[in-house]
Amino acid sequence: MRIRQRYVGAAWILFALWLMNGCITPMPETTTASSQQSRAYMGTYDKVWGAVIAALQNEDINMNAVDKNAGIVNGIKNLDAATGDILLGYSTRILVNITVQQAGDHQVKVAIRSREERKYKNRDWRPARDASTYAEALYTKIGANVL
């Protein structure tokens, strides 16, 4: 009788492990993983450029390409610590591409393209969720810095 109880207990443990394994399978890909928007700000090019850089620094975005003359900033923000996905074997990041262009007298256009990517363990990065809310937050911070 005791041996039978051990087998039943071991079977329940194996069943629970099997269920938990299903909980950490990779998320399905979505097609709306990229977002691009633009806004115009009143001010000089230098002031808006400074506001863009300040907003990215405030958001802890690692800027890996910055060219003020071309008006281009590219950066990456790793979200693993914020989302807790790393505990499930995921890595999540947001890629940000920003262009800054003079649009007229004291008007500067800022376009932000952002996308969220995720990878599971050692696989390639894949599109995840729409990152338009992240771009909206950056536009708000840039606007606050321009004032």
Side-chain angles (χ1 to χ4, degrees), residues 10-128:
W12 277 110
I13 290 172
L14 288 174
F15 179 72
L17 290 173
W18 176 75
L19 281 178
M20 288 179 14
N21 185 37
C23 293
I24 59 171
T25 55
M27 304 271 295
E29 293 182 39
T30 61
T31 56
T32 58
S34 180
S35 171
Q36 182 168 0
Q37 307 165 16
S38 66
R39 298 272 160 76
Y41 296 97
M42 297 301 292
T44 64
Y45 182 86
D46 288 334
K47 187 170 186 177
V48 174
W49 178 264
V52 168
I53 298 300
L56 293 173
Q57 289 172 340
N58 189 295
E59 284 293 311
D60 294 325
I61 295 175
N62 298 322
M63 293 174 271
N64 52 15
V66 179
D67 187 346
K68 184 176 180 180
N69 294 331
I72 297 172
V73 182
N74 296 326
I76 298 173
K77 179 168 185 168
N78 292 314
L79 298 176
D80 296 337
T83 61
D85 287 344
I86 200 162
L87 297 174
L88 299 175
Y90 290 103
S91 292
T92 307
R93 67 183 182 183
I94 293 182
L95 301 169
V96 178
N97 305 90
I98 300 177
T99 57
V100 181
Q101 298 173 334
Q102 190 74 43
D105 288 343
H106 296 290
Q107 190 174 20
V108 180
K109 179 181 168 187
V110 177
I112 299 175
R113 182 174 181 264
S114 61
R115 70 180 188 269
E116 184 176 316
E117 293 182 337
R118 179 175 281 177
K119 81 174 178 177
Y120 179 69
K121 296 192 178 179
N122 294 324
R123 297 183 184 163
D124 292 335
W125 289 99
R126 295 177 182 239

Side-chain angles (χ1 to χ4, degrees), residues 1-16:
M1 187 69 167
R2 281 195 140 161
I3 295 175
R4 185 173 180 206
Q5 287 177 340
R6 286 185 185 166
Y7 283 122
V8 170
W12 277 110
I13 290 172
L14 288 174
F15 179 72

